[in-house]
Amino acid sequence: MITAIAACTATQVPDTIPPASGTWDSKNLVANIYLPAEKTISPITFNPLKQNLYSGKLMVPSGASLINSEKSLLTVHVNKAGLLSFIGHQHIIASRDLDGWIDEVKNQGYFSFDIAKMTVDEPALLKSNLLPDELNASEKEATKQNMMKMLDAKSFPNVRVLVTSYDIKKSMIHAKITVKDQMIERDLLVKVTKSASNKITNLTGETRLKLLDFAVEPFSALGGLLSVNDEIVIEWKLVFK
């Protein structure tokens, strides 16, 4: 999802360059190159890969429509697995903190959400999916902490989705999905709702993903007899301003 771009310009570069001396700081990835005064090159700094992946947000293109976080919702349906799955629980993990945009001119978009702000088993969501609300508040918090540990949320605090194209005829988007430091690409079917002025107002869809595709080991207990199912179901409803 993330592309590192280095741009360089040169003017009046001689056929031969005088010998250089300098220093190299491998920890901060900074190179200082010293040449004679008339041929000086400024220091070049490369940010560490992890910082590039998880600091800042993609710039919003001019004319793009922003996600309405108050009205948008993403849910992750997590099932149970293992020989003792009958003592486990199904969970619905939800994000109401979606941030991003869609650019209809370029047929591109982007959205992300913070893992720490996700909720576990909201009663209304469980009811709408015909699931019992069996856990108390402390048990739901423990489930959330297990999820954050599984996804290493302290090091990789958010999930990002970059939409690189949209096929109107097939109602399909091509998405690059990044979880932790792993990115996979998928073609996803979506339903698009437009306003009277032909502007996209809603983008809804559903897909199935596997945790192991992102190098995420499903949480397990009791020596693996009870675990989280590798396959999860994700539903989203994005509402745009």
Side-chain angles (χ1 to χ4, degrees):
M1 179 179 292
I2 305 300
T3 304
I5 302 174
C8 301
T9 59
T11 58
Q12 298 180 348
V13 178
D15 294 333
T16 59
I17 299 178
S21 63
T23 60
W24 172 255
D25 183 346
S26 60
K27 181 178 181 180
N28 295 308
L29 298 180
V30 177
N32 294 304
I33 304 173
Y34 305 100
L35 295 174
E38 67 275 10
K39 301 298 178 186
T40 300
I41 300 177
S42 300
I44 302 171
T45 301
F46 299 98
N47 292 325
L49 175 61
K50 191 171 177 180
Q51 180 177 343
N52 284 340
L53 281 169
Y54 290 95
S55 64
K57 299 176 181 178
L58 293 184
M59 293 181 62
V60 180
S62 176
S65 299
L66 297 177
I67 289 177
N68 187 329
S69 298
E70 295 181 357
K71 296 182 179 180
S72 298
L73 174 66
L74 179 142
T75 56
V76 182
H77 298 255
V78 182
N79 213 331
K80 52 191 177 179
L83 291 176
L84 296 182
S85 60
F86 61 91
I87 67 172
H89 304 275
Q90 292 176 267
H91 299 289
I92 297 181
I93 316 298
S95 173
R96 300 180 183 275
D97 183 53
L98 294 159
D99 182 34
W101 47 264
I102 188 169
D103 186 340
E104 296 186 52
V105 176
K106 296 182 179 179
N107 282 332
Q108 296 178 346
Y110 168 82
F111 70 90
S112 66
F113 55 90
D114 291 338
I115 297 171
K117 295 181 180 179
M118 299 186 81
T119 62
V120 175
D121 293 344
E122 295 180 21
L125 292 177
L126 291 173
K127 185 176 180 179
S128 65
N129 285 271
L130 304 178
L131 293 176
D133 189 2
E134 299 175 325
L135 302 183
N136 59 39
S138 62
E139 290 170 329
K140 290 179 181 180
E141 179 60 26
T143 299
K144 180 175 179 178
Q145 293 304 316
N146 290 335
M147 174 192 70
M148 293 184 64
K149 182 178 179 180
M150 181 179 72
L151 297 175
D152 192 7
K154 288 185 178 180
S155 299
F156 308 100
N158 52 34
V159 174
R160 298 185 176 196
V161 179
L162 179 64
V163 178
T164 58
S165 64
Y166 168 51
D167 189 322
I168 300 176
K169 294 182 179 179
K170 295 182 179 180
S171 295
M172 185 174 292
I173 61 174
H174 185 76
K176 296 182 177 181
I177 308 166
T178 299
V179 178
K180 294 181 66 174
D181 56 352
Q182 302 293 318
M183 186 272 287
I184 65 171
E185 299 188 36
R186 289 287 188 273
D187 289 322
L188 307 175
L189 287 172
V190 294
K191 180 180 179 182
V192 176
T193 304
K194 292 192 173 186
S195 64
S197 59
N198 204 37
K199 182 179 179 181
I200 293 178
T201 57
N202 292 58
L203 189 67
T204 59
E206 175 184 320
T207 191
R208 295 174 181 268
L209 297 174
K210 292 187 176 182
L211 294 171
L212 289 175
D213 287 344
F214 297 97
V216 173
E217 187 69 29
F219 175 81
S220 63
L222 303 176
L225 295 177
L226 177 61
S227 64
V228 168
N229 194 34
D230 182 29
E231 186 176 74
I232 57 176
V233 179
I234 302 173
E235 297 178 311
W236 65 89
K237 178 184 178 182
L238 306 182
V239 180
F240 297 94
K241 298 178 181 179

